[in-house]
Amino acid sequence: MLKALLPHSHRGRVLALGALIDAIATGVYLAVATLYFVEYVKIPAPSVGVAIAIANVCGLLVPMPVARLTQHLGVIRVYIALLVVRGVGMAAYVLADGYWRYVAVTCLFTMASRAALPLLQVLIGQMEGEEDRTRTMASMRTVNNIGLAVGFLIAGLVQMSHSHAGYLALFVACGASFAVVALVTVRATNGVVSRDTAAPVRQRRASSVYRDGRFITVAVANAVLMMHDSMLFILIPLWVVQRCGLSPTASSTLLILNTVITVVIQVRLAKYAKGVRGAMRLLRWSIVALVIAGLLLGLADDDAAVWQLLALLTGAVVLLTVGENLHAVSGWELSFLMSDPEKRAQYLSLFSLGYTGQQIIGPVLMTAVVLPWGMSGVMVVTAMFVVAALVTSVAVKRHSLDHDEAKAPA
């Protein structure tokens, strides 16, 4: 089973070990940070929400300037520096005994995390050949889900102790873990030489990523498609309780189902995302899954029997998870193939902004529109998915035509 989940190469497996440690620390952080600052530092919950929103906005501003640094310092050095900053930020939570210190540390950690994510994809592209690039990204995501689950478990054990010192020890230990991730990354990337030969190169590249209209179009459409994340983690827990009248336990069980399915299918899907055609095929199937998931969710209301509600919700979560994983694999491949090899860090950093953007917009859309509107609200989101997929298809087709024209003999 491990052989099926882990990257094929030794370097990829070493990097996966680092990703596991990273995910465990991140899982602990996600599970304890908000609760700690509300219960022990006595920051009001709405103020904590505002701080997280501020941090996410800051996370939108950092990836592009950091990506430009890679042209001077190299991707590996910048990525390792970001791991160190994340470790410092995590450990600094023990000193955050007031609101503005909490805001500052949260912004620091969030900005470094957002800037690091696309650079990891660039690193994997440099380490792995064309055949293994997307599979290794899928392995990383699978390992990340496992690590998050372990982190949640560790956090739960500490929370049971109701110990202030236990929380502080967690922050310090998680901060130190990022130093370990940095050391593991140094070992994995030692002697790495860039492998950009597999990426398509066009003769008429835009002088800047901001002028590459087709790439920006796909990046914006991808941000819309990322709304499935808010559907899964924001809308469904609220839908289960408020529209279906079920226990919050049902929501937790459904989210566990999401994690299990992701671990099982993510790596297997990667082999079908070879090239633009393969990526677009997966994207189309992801839309089918997301639309049907939306229909099932919209049908789940408190007029139905409990067994019907559970069946509809389970079907919705299964299909949302399948659609999410299909879209993720497709997005990795398209973003890599459509980016300029000489400015790949900037291209992938721009592409990654969609995740942060949807974290800001998605929760508002789900809570203010979709949840109160019911089936009509769900249909609005699914229609957005369909339009985003059509826009992506047109932009990718034009990109492919340009690529074919550039390869044609004069």
Side-chain angles (χ1 to χ4, degrees), residues 192-338:
V192 168
V193 178
S194 177
R195 300 187 185 194
D196 285 326
T197 55
V201 180
R202 291 189 289 165
Q203 293 178 352
R204 299 192 303 273
R205 291 299 313 197
S207 59
S208 165
V209 62
Y210 298 112
R211 296 184 180 181
D212 194 331
R214 282 154 198 171
F215 187 86
I216 290 176
T217 298
V218 173
V220 172
N222 182 71
V224 174
L225 291 169
M226 285 296 299
M227 292 289 179
H228 57 60
D229 190 76
S230 291
M231 281 189 72
L232 189 59
F233 296 107
I234 302 295
L235 179 63
I236 284 185
L238 292 173
W239 195 285
V240 167
V241 175
Q242 295 188 16
R243 296 199 70 91
C244 297
L246 300 178
S247 166
T249 304
S251 170
S252 301
T253 304
L254 291 170
L255 294 182
I256 292 173
L257 179 62
N258 164 261
T259 301
V260 172
I261 294 172
T262 297
V263 170
V264 172
I265 71 172
Q266 181 76 90
V267 177
R268 290 176 172 83
L269 292 176
K271 65 182 179 181
Y272 299 108
K274 302 301 182 184
V276 172
R277 289 184 179 180
M280 287 305 302
R281 187 181 305 114
L282 291 189
L283 181 61
R284 286 190 287 270
W285 279 112
S286 76
I287 299 304
V288 172
L290 293 173
V291 169
I292 298 176
L295 289 171
L296 294 179
L297 181 61
L299 291 171
D301 57 53
D302 55 10
D303 293 333
V306 172
W307 70 268
Q308 292 175 320
L309 291 175
L310 292 175
L312 289 168
L313 291 169
T314 300
V317 169
V318 169
L319 288 170
L320 261 176
T321 303
V322 171
E324 168 201 9
N325 283 277
L326 287 167
H327 168 239
V329 174
S330 172
W332 296 329
E333 187 75 357
L334 288 176
S335 61
F336 197 92
L337 292 175
M338 293 183 69

Side-chain angles (χ1 to χ4, degrees), residues 19-31 86 90 109 147-148 151 154 170 173-175 177-178 181:
L20 177 64
I21 299 171
D22 185 324
I24 291 172
T26 302
V28 170
Y29 166 76
L30 292 173
R86 292 176 72 198
M90 181 74 78
F109 181 77
L148 287 174
I154 293 172
L170 273 183
C174 289
S177 71
F178 283 105
V181 178

Side-chain angles (χ1 to χ4, degrees), residues 26-204:
T26 302
V28 170
Y29 166 76
L30 292 173
V32 306
T34 300
L35 184 62
Y36 168 77
F37 284 100
V38 170
E39 290 195 354
Y40 290 92
V41 185
K42 303 303 181 182
I43 298 174
S47 298
V48 169
V50 171
I52 294 172
I54 292 172
N56 280 321
V57 171
C58 292
L60 279 171
L61 304 177
V62 172
M64 293 304 293
V66 170
R68 283 195 290 271
L69 277 179
T70 63
Q71 292 186 304
H72 305 287
L73 302 177
V75 174
I76 296 174
R77 289 179 181 176
V78 174
Y79 181 69
I80 291 172
L82 289 171
L83 288 173
V84 173
V85 172
R86 292 176 72 198
V88 171
M90 181 74 78
Y93 272 119
V94 301
L95 304 175
D97 55 359
Y99 182 66
W100 291 110
R101 288 187 181 183
Y102 166 64
V103 171
V105 174
T106 302
C107 286
L108 177 68
F109 181 77
T110 302
M111 289 188 294
S113 298
R114 296 290 185 271
L117 184 61
L119 298 191
L120 177 60
Q121 187 180 356
V122 177
L123 273 181
I124 291 172
Q126 293 179 346
M127 289 170 49
E128 306 283 33
E130 185 178 8
E131 291 298 316
D132 290 330
R133 182 184 63 238
T134 301
R135 186 188 187 281
T136 299
M137 279 296 297
S139 295
M140 293 297 174
R141 192 165 188 262
T142 299
V143 168
N144 182 73
N145 276 274
I146 295 172
L148 287 174
V150 174
F152 294 155
L153 177 61
I154 293 172
L157 294 175
V158 173
Q159 287 169 332
M160 288 173 62
S161 70
H162 301 285
S163 168
H164 185 197
Y167 281 97
L168 297 181
L170 273 183
F171 289 135
V172 173
C174 289
S177 71
F178 283 105
V180 177
V181 178
L183 293 174
V184 169
T185 304
V186 169
R187 180 172 179 178
T189 57
N190 186 31
V192 168
V193 178
S194 177
R195 300 187 185 194
D196 285 326
T197 55
V201 180
R202 291 189 289 165
Q203 293 178 352
R204 299 192 303 273

